[in-house]
Amino acid sequence: MAQGRPGRSPNPLISHGRHFGRTVFVLCNYPSLLTNGILRLQQMEDTPLEDFAAENRSEEEILHVGELIGKGASGVRGDDTKSLKSAILDWISPKGAAIQPPLHRNSKIDRGFNHELTGSLLCPAGLDWHDMETRENLRSGESLVCGDPWPVFLYAHHTYDAEDPWCGLLRSRLLTCAYKHTSPTYIATQVRFALSSSSVFSRTDTSTDSEMFYHSLLDLFEDPDESKEVDELLTWWNRYGFPTSSAAKRPISANSALSKIQIKQLATKNAADSNVIVTSP
């Protein structure tokens, strides 16, 4: 039986870019990343930059490689954006009812603060969407929403507690639905964009300020003073996303090899602790 002509394999750098953009870092200047990486290697290995192979250090090659990786990252971001644009309407629809007035699946012009439902979800936490003046200021643009005032949809039950801003943060049903749909690391940024009226996802778009929003969440996760809350949040997501993993704290089967290893390890530790000699200062 004759087989069709096989399609061209994608450039490996584009494939790497798709992976990097979805699982590592979505909004990145890839030529700058590569240049800094080469300089870091030079410092770590104490190797002069001119000793690196020409293809690893020429500006033209760095730009070319960066463009290919960026193409892959942009492509996967576009795929997720297109997919979420329609799917998100199913998740925000009132139970047993249709969205009123209707929102179009293939157009975003009537989303954002232009619509009662998407506007209420995008309303910055701490503001009252039901306040007429607040709503009109958001719709007119008089109240400019940058990336760091986080929208209320990030919170469980879309409820923000000003006295405890960590309560329910990044635990909303909307985020979990989107996670099951695409599973990228930047899902909060994609959901925010899907609810907005902007038609093109861009790192430099000042109207959505997606880069600031993305980095503001990263800054929170990387803040050592918030490590306890971050660990609790990550544990919550591990239990949600991987219910059969060790994070779910499943009981260990009795008489299994793992249980015997742990029992032996505990006995060894207890014996070592009992042999510790305590001396007075």
Side-chain angles (χ1 to χ4, degrees):
M1 180 177 178
Q3 295 183 350
R5 182 180 177 181
R8 293 180 59 187
S9 298
N11 187 299
L13 290 174
I14 295 178
S15 299
H16 293 328
R18 291 180 66 88
H19 172 74
F20 188 92
R22 172 170 275 174
T23 63
V24 182
F25 198 85
V26 61
L27 301 173
C28 181
N29 184 319
Y30 293 98
S32 294
L33 177 67
L34 293 170
T35 300
N36 290 331
I38 292 174
L39 292 175
R40 180 65 62 87
L41 283 174
Q42 177 190 5
Q43 295 171 355
M44 292 175 60
E45 300 179 8
D46 196 23
T47 304
L49 188 60
E50 58 269 16
D51 289 352
F52 283 93
E55 64 270 17
N56 290 333
R57 58 181 172 86
S58 71
E59 182 177 353
E60 294 79 6
E61 186 66 18
I62 290 174
L63 288 173
H64 177 64
V65 171
E67 288 174 356
L68 290 175
I69 295 176
K71 181 178 180 180
S74 177
V76 75
R77 186 173 66 232
D79 291 345
D80 292 336
T81 298
K82 182 179 180 180
S83 179
L84 282 174
K85 181 169 68 172
S86 174
I88 200 167
L89 299 185
D90 298 324
W91 307 328
I92 66 174
S93 296
K95 188 174 182 179
I99 298 175
Q100 295 296 335
L103 286 170
H104 302 288
R105 290 184 176 271
N106 298 319
S107 173
K108 299 180 65 189
I109 193 170
D110 49 359
R111 302 188 189 186
F113 297 122
N114 300 321
H115 193 278
E116 175 68 24
L117 181 54
T118 54
S120 66
L121 294 171
L122 288 171
C123 183
L127 296 183
D128 182 8
W129 173 255
H130 299 293
D131 178 75
M132 185 64 69
E133 183 178 359
T134 297
R135 190 185 315 178
E136 291 305 316
N137 287 342
L138 288 171
R139 285 176 173 169
S140 67
E142 183 173 342
S143 294
L144 183 62
V145 180
C146 301
D148 50 342
W150 293 335
V152 74
F153 81 77
L154 293 182
Y155 286 88
H157 311 297
H158 308 151
T159 302
Y160 169 69
D161 182 356
E163 300 299 321
D164 184 9
W166 261 108
C167 181
L169 179 61
L170 295 171
R171 289 175 168 89
S172 74
R173 174 182 170 273
L174 188 53
L175 289 179
T176 58
C177 288
Y179 171 81
K180 284 192 270 189
H181 187 74
T182 59
S183 301
T185 57
Y186 57 100
I187 194 62
T189 306
Q190 281 282 22
V191 169
R192 180 172 176 266
F193 177 75
L195 292 170
S196 77
S197 59
S198 296
S199 58
V200 178
F201 190 110
S202 172
R203 181 171 63 89
T204 57
D205 181 12
T206 56
S207 62
T208 58
D209 204 14
S210 294
E211 186 171 27
M212 169 64 81
F213 176 73
Y214 180 73
H215 280 284
S216 68
L217 290 173
L218 283 184
D219 289 343
L220 178 69
F221 274 78
E222 295 172 356
D223 187 344
D225 294 333
E226 305 295 338
S227 59
K228 179 178 179 293
E229 289 79 4
V230 169
D231 287 344
E232 291 175 355
L233 175 61
L234 294 178
T235 299
W236 184 89
W237 271 99
N238 281 336
R239 288 174 177 169
Y240 170 80
F242 309 97
T244 60
S245 72
S246 58
K249 305 297 183 183
R250 293 176 298 157
I252 298 174
S253 300
N255 298 320
S256 67
L258 176 58
S259 67
K260 292 183 181 299
I261 288 173
Q262 292 184 342
I263 291 172
K264 184 176 180 180
Q265 182 185 60
L266 180 61
T268 301
K269 182 179 183 300
N270 290 337
D273 291 342
S274 64
N275 291 330
V276 173
I277 299 176
V278 179
T279 60
S280 300

